Amino acid sequence: QVQLVESGGGLVQAGGSLRLSCAASRSIFGVNVMGWYRQAPGKQRELVTSITKDGPTNYADSVKGRFTISRDNAKNTVYLQMNSLKPEDTAVYYCNFVYYWPRRDYWGQGTQVTVSS
């Protein structure tokens, strides 16, 4: 029912910045949790951060102080601002929405982020 489309990925040098966007096909006002995950080559998918109507939560230790999640209800979009990027941040980044009642999960197609040394 809900389609999520990520954008904003690309190639950037270490120390640079990118802002990822996740646009939903319907209103995000009723979404319980919106999150960003990432998966690096040969590694498991991990939670980067998430946000609710009350604000951000669940920043991974590896990104604290560098990444910021936010939402714009009018644009049906959630963002991930990534600063001071490191080569270790290289991964495919996925948007995830969760509804509690009834329980439903939606995923975007992913966007590639590559950080060069």
Side-chain angles (χ1 to χ4, degrees), residues 17-41:
S17 298
L18 287 173
R19 188 174 77 158
L20 306 184
S21 299
C22 176
S25 61
R26 61 175 294 276
S27 174
I28 64 172
F29 185 76
V31 181
N32 291 104
V33 183
M34 295 169 287
W36 286 97
Y37 289 73
R38 67 184 182 185
Q39 187 166 24

mmCIF file with all atom_site columns, all heavy atoms in Angstrom, residues 17-41:
data_model
loop_
_atom_site.group_PDB
_atom_site.id
_atom_site.type_symbol
_atom_site.label_atom_id
_atom_site.label_alt_id
_atom_site.label_comp_id
_atom_site.label_asym_id
_atom_site.label_entity_id
_atom_site.label_seq_id
_atom_site.pdbx_PDB_ins_code
_atom_site.Cartn_x
_atom_site.Cartn_y
_atom_site.Cartn_z
_atom_site.occupancy
_atom_site.B_iso_or_equiv
_atom_site.pdbx_formal_charge
_atom_site.auth_seq_id
_atom_site.auth_comp_id
_atom_site.auth_asym_id
_atom_site.auth_atom_id
_atom_site.pdbx_PDB_model_num
ATOM 1   N N   . SER A 1 17 ? 29.714 15.503 3.067  1.00 0.00 ? 17 SER A N   1
ATOM 2   C CA  . SER A 1 17 ? 28.349 15.357 3.559  1.00 0.00 ? 17 SER A CA  1
ATOM 3   C C   . SER A 1 17 ? 27.395 14.939 2.448  1.00 0.00 ? 17 SER A C   1
ATOM 4   O O   . SER A 1 17 ? 27.616 15.242 1.271  1.00 0.00 ? 17 SER A O   1
ATOM 5   C CB  . SER A 1 17 ? 27.848 16.672 4.160  1.00 0.00 ? 17 SER A CB  1
ATOM 6   O OG  . SER A 1 17 ? 28.624 17.075 5.263  1.00 0.00 ? 17 SER A OG  1
ATOM 7   N N   . LEU A 1 18 ? 26.329 14.251 2.838  1.00 0.00 ? 18 LEU A N   1
ATOM 8   C CA  . LEU A 1 18 ? 25.229 13.902 1.956  1.00 0.00 ? 18 LEU A CA  1
ATOM 9   C C   . LEU A 1 18 ? 23.937 13.976 2.751  1.00 0.00 ? 18 LEU A C   1
ATOM 10  O O   . LEU A 1 18 ? 23.936 13.779 3.965  1.00 0.00 ? 18 LEU A O   1
ATOM 11  C CB  . LEU A 1 18 ? 25.373 12.487 1.395  1.00 0.00 ? 18 LEU A CB  1
ATOM 12  C CG  . LEU A 1 18 ? 26.423 12.221 0.326  1.00 0.00 ? 18 LEU A CG  1
ATOM 13  C CD1 . LEU A 1 18 ? 26.515 10.723 0.051  1.00 0.00 ? 18 LEU A CD1 1
ATOM 14  C CD2 . LEU A 1 18 ? 26.092 12.975 -0.954 1.00 0.00 ? 18 LEU A CD2 1
ATOM 15  N N   . ARG A 1 19 ? 22.828 14.246 2.057  1.00 0.00 ? 19 ARG A N   1
ATOM 16  C CA  . ARG A 1 19 ? 21.516 14.170 2.682  1.00 0.00 ? 19 ARG A CA  1
ATOM 17  C C   . ARG A 1 19 ? 20.649 13.198 1.896  1.00 0.00 ? 19 ARG A C   1
ATOM 18  O O   . ARG A 1 19 ? 20.372 13.413 0.711  1.00 0.00 ? 19 ARG A O   1
ATOM 19  C CB  . ARG A 1 19 ? 20.820 15.530 2.756  1.00 0.00 ? 19 ARG A CB  1
ATOM 20  C CG  . ARG A 1 19 ? 19.531 15.455 3.586  1.00 0.00 ? 19 ARG A CG  1
ATOM 21  C CD  . ARG A 1 19 ? 18.879 16.799 3.823  1.00 0.00 ? 19 ARG A CD  1
ATOM 22  N NE  . ARG A 1 19 ? 18.167 17.281 2.650  1.00 0.00 ? 19 ARG A NE  1
ATOM 23  C CZ  . ARG A 1 19 ? 17.187 18.183 2.698  1.00 0.00 ? 19 ARG A CZ  1
ATOM 24  N NH1 . ARG A 1 19 ? 16.814 18.699 3.866  1.00 0.00 ? 19 ARG A NH1 1
ATOM 25  N NH2 . ARG A 1 19 ? 16.610 18.583 1.584  1.00 0.00 ? 19 ARG A NH2 1
ATOM 26  N N   . LEU A 1 20 ? 20.225 12.129 2.559  1.00 0.00 ? 20 LEU A N   1
ATOM 27  C CA  . LEU A 1 20 ? 19.354 11.142 1.956  1.00 0.00 ? 20 LEU A CA  1
ATOM 28  C C   . LEU A 1 20 ? 17.900 11.512 2.204  1.00 0.00 ? 20 LEU A C   1
ATOM 29  O O   . LEU A 1 20 ? 17.560 12.046 3.259  1.00 0.00 ? 20 LEU A O   1
ATOM 30  C CB  . LEU A 1 20 ? 19.625 9.751  2.524  1.00 0.00 ? 20 LEU A CB  1
ATOM 31  C CG  . LEU A 1 20 ? 21.065 9.244  2.468  1.00 0.00 ? 20 LEU A CG  1
ATOM 32  C CD1 . LEU A 1 20 ? 21.129 7.811  2.985  1.00 0.00 ? 20 LEU A CD1 1
ATOM 33  C CD2 . LEU A 1 20 ? 21.623 9.343  1.062  1.00 0.00 ? 20 LEU A CD2 1
ATOM 34  N N   . SER A 1 21 ? 17.043 11.208 1.235  1.00 0.00 ? 21 SER A N   1
ATOM 35  C CA  . SER A 1 21 ? 15.615 11.444 1.360  1.00 0.00 ? 21 SER A CA  1
ATOM 36  C C   . SER A 1 21 ? 14.851 10.152 1.155  1.00 0.00 ? 21 SER A C   1
ATOM 37  O O   . SER A 1 21 ? 15.254 9.300  0.360  1.00 0.00 ? 21 SER A O   1
ATOM 38  C CB  . SER A 1 21 ? 15.131 12.468 0.328  1.00 0.00 ? 21 SER A CB  1
ATOM 39  O OG  . SER A 1 21 ? 15.757 13.713 0.507  1.00 0.00 ? 21 SER A OG  1
ATOM 40  N N   . CYS A 1 22 ? 13.751 9.996  1.863  1.00 0.00 ? 22 CYS A N   1
ATOM 41  C CA  . CYS A 1 22 ? 12.847 8.864  1.696  1.00 0.00 ? 22 CYS A CA  1
ATOM 42  C C   . CYS A 1 22 ? 11.446 9.425  1.535  1.00 0.00 ? 22 CYS A C   1
ATOM 43  O O   . CYS A 1 22 ? 10.850 9.907  2.509  1.00 0.00 ? 22 CYS A O   1
ATOM 44  C CB  . CYS A 1 22 ? 12.929 7.925  2.896  1.00 0.00 ? 22 CYS A CB  1
ATOM 45  S SG  . CYS A 1 22 ? 11.756 6.555  2.850  1.00 0.00 ? 22 CYS A SG  1
ATOM 46  N N   . ALA A 1 23 ? 10.927 9.383  0.319  1.00 0.00 ? 23 ALA A N   1
ATOM 47  C CA  . ALA A 1 23 ? 9.614  9.933  0.006  1.00 0.00 ? 23 ALA A CA  1
ATOM 48  C C   . ALA A 1 23 ? 8.568  8.828  -0.003 1.00 0.00 ? 23 ALA A C   1
ATOM 49  O O   . ALA A 1 23 ? 8.740  7.808  -0.673 1.00 0.00 ? 23 ALA A O   1
ATOM 50  C CB  . ALA A 1 23 ? 9.645  10.638 -1.338 1.00 0.00 ? 23 ALA A CB  1
ATOM 51  N N   . ALA A 1 24 ? 7.476  9.041  0.716  1.00 0.00 ? 24 ALA A N   1
ATOM 52  C CA  . ALA A 1 24 ? 6.393  8.073  0.805  1.00 0.00 ? 24 ALA A CA  1
ATOM 53  C C   . ALA A 1 24 ? 5.252  8.443  -0.123 1.00 0.00 ? 24 ALA A C   1
ATOM 54  O O   . ALA A 1 24 ? 5.039  9.621  -0.432 1.00 0.00 ? 24 ALA A O   1
ATOM 55  C CB  . ALA A 1 24 ? 5.876  7.974  2.238  1.00 0.00 ? 24 ALA A CB  1
ATOM 56  N N   . SER A 1 25 ? 4.498  7.432  -0.554 1.00 0.00 ? 25 SER A N   1
ATOM 57  C CA  . SER A 1 25 ? 3.394  7.643  -1.483 1.00 0.00 ? 25 SER A CA  1
ATOM 58  C C   . SER A 1 25 ? 2.118  8.119  -0.804 1.00 0.00 ? 25 SER A C   1
ATOM 59  O O   . SER A 1 25 ? 1.130  8.408  -1.486 1.00 0.00 ? 25 SER A O   1
ATOM 60  C CB  . SER A 1 25 ? 3.106  6.351  -2.257 1.00 0.00 ? 25 SER A CB  1
ATOM 61  O OG  . SER A 1 25 ? 2.737  5.307  -1.376 1.00 0.00 ? 25 SER A OG  1
ATOM 62  N N   . ARG A 1 26 ? 2.117  8.201  0.509  1.00 0.00 ? 26 ARG A N   1
ATOM 63  C CA  . ARG A 1 26 ? 0.979  8.691  1.255  1.00 0.00 ? 26 ARG A CA  1
ATOM 64  C C   . ARG A 1 26 ? 1.456  9.435  2.488  1.00 0.00 ? 26 ARG A C   1
ATOM 65  O O   . ARG A 1 26 ? 2.651  9.467  2.775  1.00 0.00 ? 26 ARG A O   1
ATOM 66  C CB  . ARG A 1 26 ? 0.039  7.545  1.644  1.00 0.00 ? 26 ARG A CB  1
ATOM 67  C CG  . ARG A 1 26 ? 0.687  6.485  2.525  1.00 0.00 ? 26 ARG A CG  1
ATOM 68  C CD  . ARG A 1 26 ? -0.322 5.449  2.987  1.00 0.00 ? 26 ARG A CD  1
ATOM 69  N NE  . ARG A 1 26 ? -1.321 6.029  3.867  1.00 0.00 ? 26 ARG A NE  1
ATOM 70  C CZ  . ARG A 1 26 ? -1.177 6.210  5.174  1.00 0.00 ? 26 ARG A CZ  1
ATOM 71  N NH1 . ARG A 1 26 ? -0.054 5.847  5.773  1.00 0.00 ? 26 ARG A NH1 1
ATOM 72  N NH2 . ARG A 1 26 ? -2.151 6.745  5.886  1.00 0.00 ? 26 ARG A NH2 1
ATOM 73  N N   . SER A 1 27 ? 0.519  9.992  3.249  1.00 0.00 ? 27 SER A N   1
ATOM 74  C CA  . SER A 1 27 ? 0.858  10.747 4.447  1.00 0.00 ? 27 SER A CA  1
ATOM 75  C C   . SER A 1 27 ? 1.660  9.904  5.436  1.00 0.00 ? 27 SER A C   1
ATOM 76  O O   . SER A 1 27 ? 1.377  8.726  5.641  1.00 0.00 ? 27 SER A O   1
ATOM 77  C CB  . SER A 1 27 ? -0.406 11.255 5.128  1.00 0.00 ? 27 SER A CB  1
ATOM 78  O OG  . SER A 1 27 ? -0.100 11.877 6.359  1.00 0.00 ? 27 SER A OG  1
ATOM 79  N N   . ILE A 1 28 ? 2.670  10.531 6.054  1.00 0.00 ? 28 ILE A N   1
ATOM 80  C CA  . ILE A 1 28 ? 3.479  9.845  7.057  1.00 0.00 ? 28 ILE A CA  1
ATOM 81  C C   . ILE A 1 28 ? 3.056  10.202 8.476  1.00 0.00 ? 28 ILE A C   1
ATOM 82  O O   . ILE A 1 28 ? 3.685  9.770  9.437  1.00 0.00 ? 28 ILE A O   1
ATOM 83  C CB  . ILE A 1 28 ? 4.979  10.162 6.881  1.00 0.00 ? 28 ILE A CB  1
ATOM 84  C CG1 . ILE A 1 28 ? 5.247  11.657 7.130  1.00 0.00 ? 28 ILE A CG1 1
ATOM 85  C CG2 . ILE A 1 28 ? 5.450  9.752  5.501  1.00 0.00 ? 28 ILE A CG2 1
ATOM 86  C CD1 . ILE A 1 28 ? 6.722  12.016 7.165  1.00 0.00 ? 28 ILE A CD1 1
ATOM 87  N N   . PHE A 1 29 ? 1.977  10.964 8.610  1.00 0.00 ? 29 PHE A N   1
ATOM 88  C CA  . PHE A 1 29 ? 1.550  11.429 9.927  1.00 0.00 ? 29 PHE A CA  1
ATOM 89  C C   . PHE A 1 29 ? 1.247  10.269 10.872 1.00 0.00 ? 29 PHE A C   1
ATOM 90  O O   . PHE A 1 29 ? 1.529  10.347 12.064 1.00 0.00 ? 29 PHE A O   1
ATOM 91  C CB  . PHE A 1 29 ? 0.329  12.337 9.806  1.00 0.00 ? 29 PHE A CB  1
ATOM 92  C CG  . PHE A 1 29 ? -0.099 12.952 11.109 1.00 0.00 ? 29 PHE A CG  1
ATOM 93  C CD1 . PHE A 1 29 ? 0.615  14.003 11.655 1.00 0.00 ? 29 PHE A CD1 1
ATOM 94  C CD2 . PHE A 1 29 ? -1.203 12.478 11.791 1.00 0.00 ? 29 PHE A CD2 1
ATOM 95  C CE1 . PHE A 1 29 ? 0.238  14.579 12.858 1.00 0.00 ? 29 PHE A CE1 1
ATOM 96  C CE2 . PHE A 1 29 ? -1.594 13.043 12.991 1.00 0.00 ? 29 PHE A CE2 1
ATOM 97  C CZ  . PHE A 1 29 ? -0.872 14.094 13.524 1.00 0.00 ? 29 PHE A CZ  1
ATOM 98  N N   . GLY A 1 30 ? 0.664  9.179  10.347 1.00 0.00 ? 30 GLY A N   1
ATOM 99  C CA  . GLY A 1 30 ? 0.270  8.057  11.183 1.00 0.00 ? 30 GLY A CA  1
ATOM 100 C C   . GLY A 1 30 ? 1.307  6.964  11.346 1.00 0.00 ? 30 GLY A C   1
ATOM 101 O O   . GLY A 1 30 ? 1.028  5.962  12.006 1.00 0.00 ? 30 GLY A O   1
ATOM 102 N N   . VAL A 1 31 ? 2.497  7.137  10.778 1.00 0.00 ? 31 VAL A N   1
ATOM 103 C CA  . VAL A 1 31 ? 3.547  6.128  10.897 1.00 0.00 ? 31 VAL A CA  1
ATOM 104 C C   . VAL A 1 31 ? 4.103  6.142  12.321 1.00 0.00 ? 31 VAL A C   1
ATOM 105 O O   . VAL A 1 31 ? 4.451  7.194  12.851 1.00 0.00 ? 31 VAL A O   1
ATOM 106 C CB  . VAL A 1 31 ? 4.675  6.383  9.891  1.00 0.00 ? 31 VAL A CB  1
ATOM 107 C CG1 . VAL A 1 31 ? 5.746  5.309  10.013 1.00 0.00 ? 31 VAL A CG1 1
ATOM 108 C CG2 . VAL A 1 31 ? 4.125  6.438  8.479  1.00 0.00 ? 31 VAL A CG2 1
ATOM 109 N N   . ASN A 1 32 ? 4.212  4.961  12.927 1.00 0.00 ? 32 ASN A N   1
ATOM 110 C CA  . ASN A 1 32 ? 4.711  4.886  14.298 1.00 0.00 ? 32 ASN A CA  1
ATOM 111 C C   . ASN A 1 32 ? 6.221  5.098  14.387 1.00 0.00 ? 32 ASN A C   1
ATOM 112 O O   . ASN A 1 32 ? 6.700  5.824  15.258 1.00 0.00 ? 32 ASN A O   1
ATOM 113 C CB  . ASN A 1 32 ? 4.329  3.551  14.928 1.00 0.00 ? 32 ASN A CB  1
ATOM 114 C CG  . ASN A 1 32 ? 2.845  3.424  15.182 1.00 0.00 ? 32 ASN A CG  1
ATOM 115 O OD1 . ASN A 1 32 ? 2.136  2.737  14.449 1.00 0.00 ? 32 ASN A OD1 1
ATOM 116 N ND2 . ASN A 1 32 ? 2.365  4.119  16.208 1.00 0.00 ? 32 ASN A ND2 1
ATOM 117 N N   . VAL A 1 33 ? 6.972  4.442  13.495 1.00 0.00 ? 33 VAL A N   1
ATOM 118 C CA  . VAL A 1 33 ? 8.425  4.561  13.495 1.00 0.00 ? 33 VAL A CA  1
ATOM 119 C C   . VAL A 1 33 ? 8.930  4.632  12.064 1.00 0.00 ? 33 VAL A C   1
ATOM 120 O O   . VAL A 1 33 ? 8.541  3.818  11.225 1.00 0.00 ? 33 VAL A O   1
ATOM 121 C CB  . VAL A 1 33 ? 9.108  3.380  14.208 1.00 0.00 ? 33 VAL A CB  1
ATOM 122 C CG1 . VAL A 1 33 ? 10.612 3.598  14.254 1.00 0.00 ? 33 VAL A CG1 1
ATOM 123 C CG2 . VAL A 1 33 ? 8.555  3.203  15.616 1.00 0.00 ? 33 VAL A CG2 1
ATOM 124 N N   . MET A 1 34 ? 9.806  5.585  11.802 1.00 0.00 ? 34 MET A N   1
ATOM 125 C CA  . MET A 1 34 ? 10.503 5.677  10.529 1.00 0.00 ? 34 MET A CA  1
ATOM 126 C C   . MET A 1 34 ? 11.988 5.562  10.802 1.00 0.00 ? 34 MET A C   1
ATOM 127 O O   . MET A 1 34 ? 12.502 6.251  11.685 1.00 0.00 ? 34 MET A O   1
ATOM 128 C CB  . MET A 1 34 ? 10.178 6.999  9.831  1.00 0.00 ? 34 MET A CB  1
ATOM 129 C CG  . MET A 1 34 ? 8.721  7.126  9.424  1.00 0.00 ? 34 MET A CG  1
ATOM 130 S SD  . MET A 1 34 ? 8.269  8.808  8.896  1.00 0.00 ? 34 MET A SD  1
ATOM 131 C CE  . MET A 1 34 ? 8.266  9.646  10.477 1.00 0.00 ? 34 MET A CE  1
ATOM 132 N N   . GLY A 1 35 ? 12.662 4.698  10.053 1.00 0.00 ? 35 GLY A N   1
ATOM 133 C CA  . GLY A 1 35 ? 14.061 4.456  10.331 1.00 0.00 ? 35 GLY A CA  1
ATOM 134 C C   . GLY A 1 35 ? 14.922 4.349  9.094  1.00 0.00 ? 35 GLY A C   1
ATOM 135 O O   . GLY A 1 35 ? 14.423 4.198  7.976  1.00 0.00 ? 35 GLY A O   1
ATOM 136 N N   . TRP A 1 36 ? 16.213 4.459  9.327  1.00 0.00 ? 36 TRP A N   1
ATOM 137 C CA  . TRP A 1 36 ? 17.219 4.247  8.300  1.00 0.00 ? 36 TRP A CA  1
ATOM 138 C C   . TRP A 1 36 ? 18.096 3.064  8.707  1.00 0.00 ? 36 TRP A C   1
ATOM 139 O O   . TRP A 1 36 ? 18.582 3.014  9.846  1.00 0.00 ? 36 TRP A O   1
ATOM 140 C CB  . TRP A 1 36 ? 18.098 5.478  8.091  1.00 0.00 ? 36 TRP A CB  1
ATOM 141 C CG  . TRP A 1 36 ? 17.424 6.590  7.363  1.00 0.00 ? 36 TRP A CG  1
ATOM 142 C CD1 . TRP A 1 36 ? 16.824 7.680  7.900  1.00 0.00 ? 36 TRP A CD1 1
ATOM 143 C CD2 . TRP A 1 36 ? 17.303 6.727  5.942  1.00 0.00 ? 36 TRP A CD2 1
ATOM 144 N NE1 . TRP A 1 36 ? 16.328 8.493  6.915  1.00 0.00 ? 36 TRP A NE1 1
ATOM 145 C CE2 . TRP A 1 36 ? 16.609 7.928  5.701  1.00 0.00 ? 36 TRP A CE2 1
ATOM 146 C CE3 . TRP A 1 36 ? 17.711 5.951  4.857  1.00 0.00 ? 36 TRP A CE3 1
ATOM 147 C CZ2 . TRP A 1 36 ? 16.311 8.377  4.412  1.00 0.00 ? 36 TRP A CZ2 1
ATOM 148 C CZ3 . TRP A 1 36 ? 17.417 6.388  3.583  1.00 0.00 ? 36 TRP A CZ3 1
ATOM 149 C CH2 . TRP A 1 36 ? 16.727 7.585  3.368  1.00 0.00 ? 36 TRP A CH2 1
ATOM 150 N N   . TYR A 1 37 ? 18.277 2.126  7.791  1.00 0.00 ? 37 TYR A N   1
ATOM 151 C CA  . TYR A 1 37 ? 19.176 1.000  7.949  1.00 0.00 ? 37 TYR A CA  1
ATOM 152 C C   . TYR A 1 37 ? 20.255 1.080  6.883  1.00 0.00 ? 37 TYR A C   1
ATOM 153 O O   . TYR A 1 37 ? 20.102 1.780  5.885  1.00 0.00 ? 37 TYR A O   1
ATOM 154 C CB  . TYR A 1 37 ? 18.429 -0.326 7.807  1.00 0.00 ? 37 TYR A CB  1
ATOM 155 C CG  . TYR A 1 37 ? 17.505 -0.667 8.953  1.00 0.00 ? 37 TYR A CG  1
ATOM 156 C CD1 . TYR A 1 37 ? 16.295 0.005  9.123  1.00 0.00 ? 37 TYR A CD1 1
ATOM 157 C CD2 . TYR A 1 37 ? 17.832 -1.675 9.857  1.00 0.00 ? 37 TYR A CD2 1
ATOM 158 C CE1 . TYR A 1 37 ? 15.441 -0.311 10.167 1.00 0.00 ? 37 TYR A CE1 1
ATOM 159 C CE2 . TYR A 1 37 ? 16.979 -1.999 10.904 1.00 0.00 ? 37 TYR A CE2 1
ATOM 160 C CZ  . TYR A 1 37 ? 15.789 -1.312 11.046 1.00 0.00 ? 37 TYR A CZ  1
ATOM 161 O OH  . TYR A 1 37 ? 14.944 -1.632 12.081 1.00 0.00 ? 37 TYR A OH  1
ATOM 162 N N   . ARG A 1 38 ? 21.345 0.345  7.092  1.00 0.00 ? 38 ARG A N   1
ATOM 163 C CA  . ARG A 1 38 ? 22.371 0.267  6.063  1.00 0.00 ? 38 ARG A CA  1
ATOM 164 C C   . ARG A 1 38 ? 22.981 -1.130 6.046  1.00 0.00 ? 38 ARG A C   1
ATOM 165 O O   . ARG A 1 38 ? 22.992 -1.832 7.050  1.00 0.00 ? 38 ARG A O   1
ATOM 166 C CB  . ARG A 1 38 ? 23.461 1.322  6.256  1.00 0.00 ? 38 ARG A CB  1
ATOM 167 C CG  . ARG A 1 38 ? 24.328 1.134  7.490  1.00 0.00 ? 38 ARG A CG  1
ATOM 168 C CD  . ARG A 1 38 ? 25.298 2.301  7.629  1.00 0.00 ? 38 ARG A CD  1
ATOM 169 N NE  . ARG A 1 38 ? 26.178 2.143  8.774  1.00 0.00 ? 38 ARG A NE  1
ATOM 170 C CZ  . ARG A 1 38 ? 27.054 3.060  9.173  1.00 0.00 ? 38 ARG A CZ  1
ATOM 171 N NH1 . ARG A 1 38 ? 27.155 4.212  8.509  1.00 0.00 ? 38 ARG A NH1 1
ATOM 172 N NH2 . ARG A 1 38 ? 27.825 2.835  10.227 1.00 0.00 ? 38 ARG A NH2 1
ATOM 173 N N   . GLN A 1 39 ? 23.485 -1.514 4.880  1.00 0.00 ? 39 GLN A N   1
ATOM 174 C CA  . GLN A 1 39 ? 24.132 -2.803 4.718  1.00 0.00 ? 39 GLN A CA  1
ATOM 175 C C   . GLN A 1 39 ? 25.379 -2.636 3.863  1.00 0.00 ? 39 GLN A C   1
ATOM 176 O O   . GLN A 1 39 ? 25.287 -2.268 2.694  1.00 0.00 ? 39 GLN A O   1
ATOM 177 C CB  . GLN A 1 39 ? 23.187 -3.824 4.082  1.00 0.00 ? 39 GLN A CB  1
ATOM 178 C CG  . GLN A 1 39 ? 23.751 -5.234 4.044  1.00 0.00 ? 39 GLN A CG  1
ATOM 179 C CD  . GLN A 1 39 ? 22.682 -6.270 3.741  1.00 0.00 ? 39 GLN A CD  1
ATOM 180 O OE1 . GLN A 1 39 ? 21.655 -5.963 3.146  1.00 0.00 ? 39 GLN A OE1 1
ATOM 181 N NE2 . GLN A 1 39 ? 22.921 -7.500 4.165  1.00 0.00 ? 39 GLN A NE2 1
ATOM 182 N N   . ALA A 1 40 ? 26.525 -2.892 4.466  1.00 0.00 ? 40 ALA A N   1
ATOM 183 C CA  . ALA A 1 40 ? 27.801 -2.826 3.771  1.00 0.00 ? 40 ALA A CA  1
ATOM 184 C C   . ALA A 1 40 ? 28.097 -4.178 3.122  1.00 0.00 ? 40 ALA A C   1
ATOM 185 O O   . ALA A 1 40 ? 27.564 -5.209 3.547  1.00 0.00 ? 40 ALA A O   1
ATOM 186 C CB  . ALA A 1 40 ? 28.915 -2.447 4.739  1.00 0.00 ? 40 ALA A CB  1
ATOM 187 N N   . PRO A 1 41 ? 28.954 -4.205 2.099  1.00 0.00 ? 41 PRO A N   1
ATOM 188 C CA  . PRO A 1 41 ? 29.289 -5.473 1.450  1.00 0.00 ? 41 PRO A CA  1
ATOM 189 C C   . PRO A 1 41 ? 29.817 -6.504 2.441  1.00 0.00 ? 41 PRO A C   1
ATOM 190 O O   . PRO A 1 41 ? 30.718 -6.212 3.228  1.00 0.00 ? 41 PRO A O   1
ATOM 191 C CB  . PRO A 1 41 ? 30.370 -5.072 0.441  1.00 0.00 ? 41 PRO A CB  1
ATOM 192 C CG  . PRO A 1 41 ? 30.092 -3.638 0.144  1.00 0.00 ? 41 PRO A CG  1
ATOM 193 C CD  . PRO A 1 41 ? 29.613 -3.064 1.454  1.00 0.00 ? 41 PRO A CD  1
#
